[in-house]
Amino acid sequence: DGVAILPAPQNLSVHSVNMKHLLTWSPVTVPGETVYYSVEYQGEYESLYTSHIWIPSGCCALTAGPECDVTDDITATVPYSLRVRAALGPQTSAWSTLKHPFNRNSTILTPPRMEVTRDGFHLVIELEDLGPHFEFLVAYWRREPGAKEHVKVVRSGGIPEHLETMEPGATYCVKVQTLVKAIGRHSDFSQAECVEVQGEALPL
Amino acid sequence: MKNVLQWNPPEGLQGVEVTYTVQYFIYGQKKWLNKSKCRNIHRTYCDLSAETADYEHQYYARVKAISETNCSKWAETGRFYPFLETQIGPPEVALTTDEKSISIDLTAPEKWKINPEDSSVSMQQIYSNLKYNVSVYNTKSNRMWSQCVTNHTLVLSWLEPNTLYCVHVQSFVPGPPRLAQPSEKQCVSTLEDQTSVFKVK
Amino acid sequence: LRRCQVSVDTRHIEESFQEIKRAIQAKDIFQNVTILSTSEALQSIKPSDVCCMTKNVLAFYVDRVFKDHQEPNPRVLRKISSIANSFLYMQKALQRCQEQKRCHCRQEATNATKIIHDNYDQLEVRSAAVKSLGELDVFLAWIDKNNQETSTA
């Protein structure tokens, strides 16, 4: 091990939105040199049962940027400890550990982008693909007094999904929220978007 | 659950007659078992569906090559778990149309049978959470949309008359990733509009 | 009374296992021995014993298997860590159920659990651990199957 004269990174923090977790820290600067960083993590299992084991991050075993996407490391809904050290050639700093373990159930959840369209009388929605953890709760209703709200769970984004067969001369509105079963939480609902179907329906 | 062992012929033996012999092993049992119909065969595949019919067990298979007086070492598969690894075939899809609707009737794929006369076992009986992803393509509007269903009949109503719609359906079982073939694409046209009542703007 | 259901997205755990299945199972040289797959162990469990059996097998993995296995390959280690931490989360979820007395343990589940531990003890500890890791797909498939059939009274 190089002599630890290199200062340890400071101000570690995790910013997590929609189950994407970014670990950031203040860079260690050495004039004229590129400082690299190593990131390691411990899940609650390791800290309880094999506390001597720290696992190298899948993405940032050695990285130049003062940040690391730890999304693929944090893969369970338990507290994770994270630590970073600086490296310059053979020299390495001491480890700097995140003050409070991070649990992905604290991630910020936002509604997805959505595109509400129709194919003739068929109401179709396409949702932003936010990744494998995400399902979507879609609420839709016919805009009229006392309208009943229908709810449908859409398993994944990125594919146009049929919602409803609409009746001519009506307007239908849709709103959506993200559902993440892995952490048992959901986002707020999005703004509603409405679609109108002209077409005069003559009595049959 | 039709489970076929396949392999590539050994390299560098062009022009030499090579035959193969296959054995299989039920994980947790005691010894390798011969597959009599795959002893000294020339083809490079062997149907082990009957031997691996109990899909909740796990299996290994191995094959060796024999030429004149030489024998290769056994080449062995990894552990094969039919319940998790079998591909789920597409359902049977029947379409019927009228002016403004298409009725889609689905029949779950069937488990492979040792004898054709044996009674059929639906894959739905094995995978109670079997679902279908129905994809519908409107050739006039060039729009595609899909719908996930669990029951076996889906009626697409309020379609545009005199329009060709194409449908294909894929079975899937929530759980570990597995391959699944979609059904053949079928296209049907809704009938002429008898009443020319509805004009969609 | 609603029985405990393991409300965990096992799909991610299954994907993690699929990525290391070949590597782990290749290290298991005792094809004639199983830990979980014997019919008396998991296959014989009735719906009413599913919760307790799930809890017991989770504890078997968390308290014994993951600790007894030493993994040199960082890629495989990451996947095992992911599974171990997911099992810890499932344990906590079932713990809450148990405190509400909805995860009752009968003798059948206790006997079946003993069979698993006895099977494990038949082998040298490293071989037993790698064999048990290689049979994670059996346990996950059993959880999936029973999660659909576990009735919600």
Side-chain angles (χ1 to χ4, degrees):
Chain A
D1 240 350
V3 173
I5 54 167
L6 204 56
Q10 298 302 315
N11 305 319
L12 273 62
S13 74
V14 176
H15 184 60
S16 176
V17 177
N18 285 341
M19 296 293 267
K20 290 264 184 264
H21 321 306
L22 189 67
L23 172 67
T24 62
W25 57 86
S26 306
V28 171
T29 51
V30 175
E33 299 282 358
T34 302
V35 174
Y36 289 88
Y37 305 93
S38 301
V39 177
E40 293 184 343
Y41 67 90
Q42 248 189 7
E44 185 178 26
Y45 175 81
E46 283 77 26
S47 51
L48 289 176
Y49 291 90
T50 56
S51 54
H52 58 289
I53 291 182
W54 284 82
I55 300 172
S57 161
C59 299
C60 315
L62 203 59
T63 180
E67 62 180 41
C68 172
D69 181 344
V70 291
T71 303
D72 290 338
D73 299 324
I74 313 285
T75 55
T77 309
V78 292
Y80 276 78
S81 299
L82 293 153
R83 70 181 187 179
V84 186
R85 77 176 171 187
L88 181 57
Q91 296 174 53
T92 54
S93 75
W95 289 103
S96 187
T97 303
L98 191 64
K99 193 176 298 179
H100 304 295
F102 167 74
N103 191 321
R104 65 180 185 178
N105 60 15
S106 62
T107 192
I108 297 165
L109 290 179
T110 65
R113 283 196 311 272
M114 71 172 172
E115 187 187 354
V116 181
T117 57
R118 62 178 179 79
D119 181 22
F121 292 107
H122 291 270
L123 182 59
V124 178
I125 186 169
E126 185 163 351
L127 298 162
E128 179 184 4
D129 185 354
L130 291 173
H133 288 296
F134 285 79
E135 292 178 337
F136 306 94
L137 188 119
V138 181
Y140 55 96
W141 61 95
R142 177 171 166 155
R143 194 162 69 186
E144 60 185 8
K148 180 172 182 285
E149 186 174 275
H150 303 276
V151 167
K152 181 173 190 176
V153 174
V154 174
R155 302 272 167 221
S156 58
I159 301 167
E161 181 91 9
H162 182 276
L163 270 190
E164 177 70 296
T165 304
M166 300 182 283
E167 290 179 25
T171 298
Y172 287 75
C173 296
V174 184
K175 61 182 181 182
V176 64
Q177 67 181 175
T178 51
L179 294 176
V180 181
K181 251 199 303 195
I183 60 174
R185 281 184 47 220
H186 57 77
S187 72
D188 295 336
F189 270 109
S190 65
Q191 292 291 321
E193 277 189 34
C194 300
V195 162
E196 187 183 350
V197 186
Q198 282 87 27
E200 305 81 27
L202 291 183
L204 292 178
Chain B
M1 302 290 185
K2 182 173 173 63
N3 305 320
V4 179
L5 174 68
Q6 294 175 320
W7 60 88
N8 293 330
E11 287 163 0
L13 287 181
Q14 281 68 19
V16 176
E17 190 201 1
V18 177
T19 63
Y20 305 96
T21 289
V22 171
Q23 290 185 331
Y24 67 96
F25 189 100
I26 303 171
Y27 179 58
Q29 307 277 310
K30 293 302 172 215
K31 57 187 169 71
W32 286 91
L33 303 170
N34 292 318
K35 166 75 178 182
S36 50
K37 286 183 182 163
C38 293
R39 179 195 292 272
N40 298 325
I41 56 173
H42 289 90
R43 60 179 186 277
T44 57
Y45 63 87
C46 171
D47 189 333
L48 291 170
S49 303
E51 289 72 21
T52 56
D54 180 346
Y55 49 80
E56 296 214 312
H57 267 97
Q58 296 152 84
Y59 305 88
Y60 294 87
R62 64 183 185 183
V63 56
K64 71 178 174 185
I66 304 140
S67 76
E68 289 141 15
T69 56
N70 285 320
C71 239
S72 77
K73 281 194 290 188
W74 290 103
E76 194 174 302
T77 67
R79 192 180 305 169
F80 174 65
Y81 193 0
F83 180 69
L84 289 183
E85 298 180 53
T86 195
Q87 270 190 48
I88 310 285
E92 257 178 53
V93 180
L95 305 180
T96 46
T97 71
D98 75 12
E99 280 168 45
K100 291 177 279 300
S101 73
I102 293 175
S103 177
I104 304 175
D105 287 297
L106 306 175
T107 306
E110 283 181 10
K111 180 180 186 289
W112 172 86
K113 294 189 275 195
I114 295 180
N115 301 311
E117 312 81 44
D118 291 348
S119 57
S120 294
V121 173
S122 158
M123 293 294 270
Q124 183 98 49
Q125 291 167 254
I126 299 169
Y127 301 97
S128 55
N129 56 347
L130 180 68
K131 300 179 199 293
Y132 304 106
N133 216 354
V134 179
S135 297
V136 179
Y137 173 63
N138 178 338
T139 59
K140 191 182 284 183
S141 69
N142 195 29
R143 292 292 313 276
M144 192 284 289
W145 33 267
S146 63
Q147 219 164 323
C148 174
V149 298
T150 48
N151 37 31
H152 288 87
T153 302
L154 174 63
V155 178
L156 309 176
S157 53
W158 293 80
L159 298 175
E160 290 173 60
N162 193 26
T163 302
L164 188 68
Y165 287 86
C166 295
V167 173
H168 72 262
V169 186
Q170 186 163 16
S171 319
F172 76 95
V173 174
R178 80 173 76 217
L179 294 173
Q181 316 142 282
S183 65
E184 291 286 324
K185 184 170 75 174
Q186 291 182 50
C187 299
V188 285
S189 182
T190 47
L191 305 183
E192 284 286 338
D193 181 2
Q194 307 310 321
T195 57
S196 62
V197 165
F198 304 110
K199 293 281 175 301
V200 178
K201 293 198 193 73
Chain C
L1 193 62
R2 188 178 150 78
R3 266 199 208 104
C4 294
Q5 263 192 306
V6 183
S7 66
V8 166
D9 183 2
T10 55
R11 191 186 51 189
H12 180 76
I13 304 173
E14 284 154 349
E15 283 166 8
S16 294
F17 176 75
Q18 286 299 321
E19 290 185 41
I20 60 173
K21 169 185 156 88
R22 289 274 175 238
I24 292 286
Q25 289 180 348
K27 292 181 190 170
D28 177 5
I29 54 173
F30 301 101
Q31 295 167 334
N32 57 339
V33 177
T34 81
I35 305 277
L36 300 184
S37 300
T38 50
S39 53
E40 311 86 18
L42 285 179
Q43 308 308 338
S44 62
I45 293 299
K46 298 185 186 55
S48 53
D49 295 316
V50 162
C51 178
C52 173
M53 197 60 193
T54 304
K55 190 171 65 62
N56 291 351
V57 179
L58 287 173
F60 164 69
Y61 274 97
V62 168
D63 299 334
R64 298 192 76 177
V65 177
F66 296 128
K67 279 159 73 176
D68 291 343
H69 178 73
Q70 285 168 359
E71 182 52 54
N73 179 322
R75 185 186 66 85
V76 176
L77 177 63
R78 260 195 294 279
K79 295 302 173 187
I80 293 175
S81 166
S82 174
I83 296 168
N85 282 287
S86 299
F87 277 16
L88 207 56
Y89 174 76
M90 287 161 78
Q91 270 193 321
K92 286 199 254 183
L94 285 176
Q95 196 66 39
R96 286 191 290 274
C97 254
Q98 178 139 35
E99 281 141 19
Q100 297 147 21
K101 307 260 180 313
R102 290 185 287 122
C103 192
H104 180 54
C105 277
R106 297 184 317 150
Q107 193 56 44
E108 286 82 349
T110 306
N111 295 347
T113 306
K114 184 177 184 309
I115 288 170
I116 290 173
H117 283 271
D118 290 347
N119 289 344
Y120 193 84
D121 295 329
Q122 302 285 319
L123 290 170
E124 178 270 331
V125 66
R126 296 279 177 264
S127 307
V130 86
K131 178 173 279 299
S132 303
L133 284 174
E135 293 186 7
L136 271 167
D137 51 2
V138 174
F139 179 43
L140 293 168
W142 180 81
I143 287 178
D144 256 356
K145 189 167 185 287
N146 283 284
N147 241 309
Q148 292 143 36
E149 289 162 12
T150 302
S151 71
T152 51

